[in-house]
Amino acid sequence: MRILLHRADGKTEPWIKDFGKYLPEAEVEIWHAGEKNQACDYAVVWSPPEAMLPELAQVKAIFVTGAGVDAILKFSDAIPAHIPIIRLEDAGMGMQMAEYVTHSVLRYYRRLDEYEAQARAGQWLPLPQHHKEDFAIGVMGMGVLGTRVLEALAPFGFPLRGWSRTQKAMPGVQCFHGEDGLDTFLRGTRVLVCMLPLTPDTNNIMSRTNMCKLPQGAFLINVARGAHLAEPDLVTLIKSGHIAAATLDVFRNEPLPLQHPFWQEPRITITPHISALTLRRESVVQVTEKIRKFAQGEQVAGVVDRNRGY
Ligand code: NAP
Ligand code: GLV
């Protein structure tokens, strides 16, 4: 069995070592632009370069070392439809998302962002507490990661809401779905958490119009993709006070350019796309299990539906 591996960061050795440990029957070949590769059975990629497409079109299955597949689906037309594109499901990302989102929610609820600013100014000033009943958290995207985040938030007693494409039921969570459910979902959400895949339907979902449906003084947490958010409109709505603050892990251009207005806005917290990192060992273990199942002709979970876009 031969695996074609591409790592944009060039750090291939630890991956080869882990595949050697968990899938010893596989030979791992590193993809290099302009070099002729031997025919491979499977490809393991994250955001493949366009030059890799001829090789990707020859394998039996493509494994993506991430949860989101927007970076590979932009080349969907060049990858024959019979080749499954299989993404990571959780693989240690659920816990990381739970940590990141819970931290961000509690930071706003307990006004720790304001106390940080006060402390920098040498100010000792207790602020009125927020009330939990006014602090409904709405998670857009109730998939593998969104569900994990809702579970993590449950013990704190906030009103919880979720929005998905298809109808869902989750204990303790008020569920909304589809375009018809979006308005009501947004109007009752104080902290909006975006955990959606980026598709033509979800692109720019945090538009000015949709952000204006949130109550005055709402908070935004985007851990999905930068293109979900109308970036200039967020700055306007923060300046007007409609949005109180935002925590953003993802941006339309990454790394976020130094001249971007977000850097100048103290009510925007910026992190460099780290809310849930691909964990190498967990990923290799999951890809190994899926390759073994696939090779046996068994059903594999995480196959991307190219029509849906996730
Ligand atoms: P997932 O399991 O595929 O879940 C996607 C969820 O979004 C599903 O609940 C789906 O609804 C919902 N959805 C999709 N299109 C929709 C639409 N048009 N309207 C309403 N709901 C819609 O994905 P996941 O594993 O949870 O990952 C979610 C995203 O997180 C990834 O795509 C990626 O962009 C992002 N991510 C970011 C990082 C980071 O470090 N920042 C790390 C990992 C992942 P149904 O359940 O009805 O299908
Ligand atoms: C990271 O952003 C991922 O989609 O896994």
Side-chain angles (χ1 to χ4, degrees), residues 67-68 70 87 93 97 141-146 163-166 168 195-198 201-202 223-225 249-250 273-276 308 310:
D70 43 297
R87 71 185 190 98
M93 286 188 265
M97 279 298 187
M142 298 179 71
V144 173
L145 301 178
W163 182 67
S164 50
R165 194 177 53 83
T166 57
K168 299 259 180 293
M195 310 206 62
L196 290 165
L198 182 63
D201 289 338
T202 66
V223 287
R225 287 292 182 266
D249 184 49
V250 285
H273 201 140
I274 49 73
S275 52
R308 272 185 343 190
Y310 66 100

Side-chain angles (χ1 to χ4, degrees), residues 6 9 29 69 106 119 126 132 169 189 203 209 249 255 264-265 295:
H6 174 258
D9 61 6
E29 171 141 2
V69 287
L106 293 178
K132 272 204 178 137
T189 288
N203 192 9
T209 308
D249 184 49
Q264 304 308 321
E265 177 45 71

Side-chain angles (χ1 to χ4, degrees), residues 140 163 179 182-183 185-187 192 194 196 198 200-215 218-220 222 225-238 240 242-243 248 252 262:
M140 290 201 285
W163 182 67
E179 272 184 48
L182 184 59
D183 247 52
F185 166 80
L186 291 172
R187 291 190 194 281
L192 182 66
C194 182
L196 290 165
L198 182 63
D201 289 338
T202 66
N203 192 9
N204 219 37
I205 188 123
M206 286 176 282
S207 60
R208 186 190 180 97
T209 308
N210 280 340
M211 286 191 279
C212 283
K213 291 176 187 163
L214 297 167
F219 298 87
L220 214 81
N222 187 13
R225 287 292 182 266
H228 285 127
L229 175 66
E231 292 184 342
D233 291 333
L234 175 64
V235 176
T236 309
L237 291 173
I238 284 200
S240 78
H242 185 75
I243 302 286
L248 308 176
R252 284 178 182 261
F262 283 173

Side-chain angles (χ1 to χ4, degrees), residues 113-127:
D113 56 330
E114 294 169 83
Y115 288 120
E116 281 160 23
Q118 287 188 180
R120 277 195 297 273
Q123 224 181 357
W124 177 281
L125 179 62
L127 300 167

Side-chain angles (χ1 to χ4, degrees), residues 24-292:
E25 62 271 37
E27 269 182 59
V28 179
E29 171 141 2
I30 306 304
W31 185 85
H32 293 292
E35 281 180 18
K36 180 99 189 83
N37 293 289
Q38 291 198 47
C40 285
D41 300 286
Y42 304 106
V44 175
V45 297
W46 159 234
S47 174
E50 198 167 357
M52 196 181 179
L53 293 174
E55 275 98 339
L56 290 184
Q58 303 292 326
V59 296
K60 295 176 192 157
I62 300 170
F63 292 87
V64 176
T65 54
V69 287
D70 43 297
I72 189 166
L73 285 193
K74 66 176 188 260
F75 298 129
S76 192
D77 289 348
I79 302 170
H82 71 272
I83 302 177
I85 298 173
I86 302 165
R87 71 185 190 98
L88 285 183
E89 298 160 292
D90 197 321
M93 286 188 265
M95 175 65 88
Q96 296 177 71
M97 279 298 187
E99 292 161 355
Y100 186 101
V101 175
T102 305
H103 168 88
S104 306
V105 165
L106 293 178
R107 178 167 172 254
Y108 290 137
Y109 175 63
R110 296 302 308 267
R111 307 187 77 156
L112 294 173
D113 56 330
E114 294 169 83
Y115 288 120
E116 281 160 23
Q118 287 188 180
R120 277 195 297 273
Q123 224 181 357
W124 177 281
L125 179 62
L127 300 167
Q129 287 265 42
H130 286 302
H131 298 293
K132 272 204 178 137
E133 59 272 23
D134 302 333
F135 230 77
I137 301 159
V139 176
M140 290 201 285
M142 298 179 71
V144 173
L145 301 178
T147 306
R148 183 68 189 83
V149 163
L150 285 162
E151 284 166 1
L153 287 167
F156 294 99
F158 297 105
L160 297 179
R161 303 154 79 83
W163 182 67
S164 50
R165 194 177 53 83
T166 57
Q167 194 167 358
K168 299 259 180 293
M170 187 172 170
V173 179
Q174 200 178 354
C175 296
F176 302 83
H177 69 279
E179 272 184 48
D180 292 349
L182 184 59
D183 247 52
T184 324
F185 166 80
L186 291 172
R187 291 190 194 281
T189 288
R190 181 77 183 278
V191 185
L192 182 66
V193 184
C194 182
M195 310 206 62
L196 290 165
L198 182 63
T199 71
D201 289 338
T202 66
N203 192 9
N204 219 37
I205 188 123
M206 286 176 282
S207 60
R208 186 190 180 97
T209 308
N210 280 340
M211 286 191 279
C212 283
K213 291 176 187 163
L214 297 167
Q216 176 78 17
F219 298 87
L220 214 81
I221 299 169
N222 187 13
V223 287
R225 287 292 182 266
H228 285 127
L229 175 66
E231 292 184 342
D233 291 333
L234 175 64
V235 176
T236 309
L237 291 173
I238 284 200
K239 289 201 186 307
S240 78
H242 185 75
I243 302 286
T247 294
L248 308 176
D249 184 49
V250 285
F251 304 90
R252 284 178 182 261
N253 290 311
E254 294 180 3
L256 185 65
L258 264 182
Q259 66 277 14
H260 197 289
F262 283 173
W263 291 113
Q264 304 308 321
E265 177 45 71
R267 286 161 293 185
I268 296 182
T269 299
I270 293 166
T271 55
H273 201 140
I274 49 73
S275 52
L277 299 168
T278 292
L279 303 180
R280 192 185 61 248
R281 193 192 68 82
E282 283 82 346
S283 305
V284 169
V285 167
Q286 187 174 115
V287 169
T288 295
E289 279 168 12
K290 290 183 176 183
I291 286 182
R292 292 220 167 100

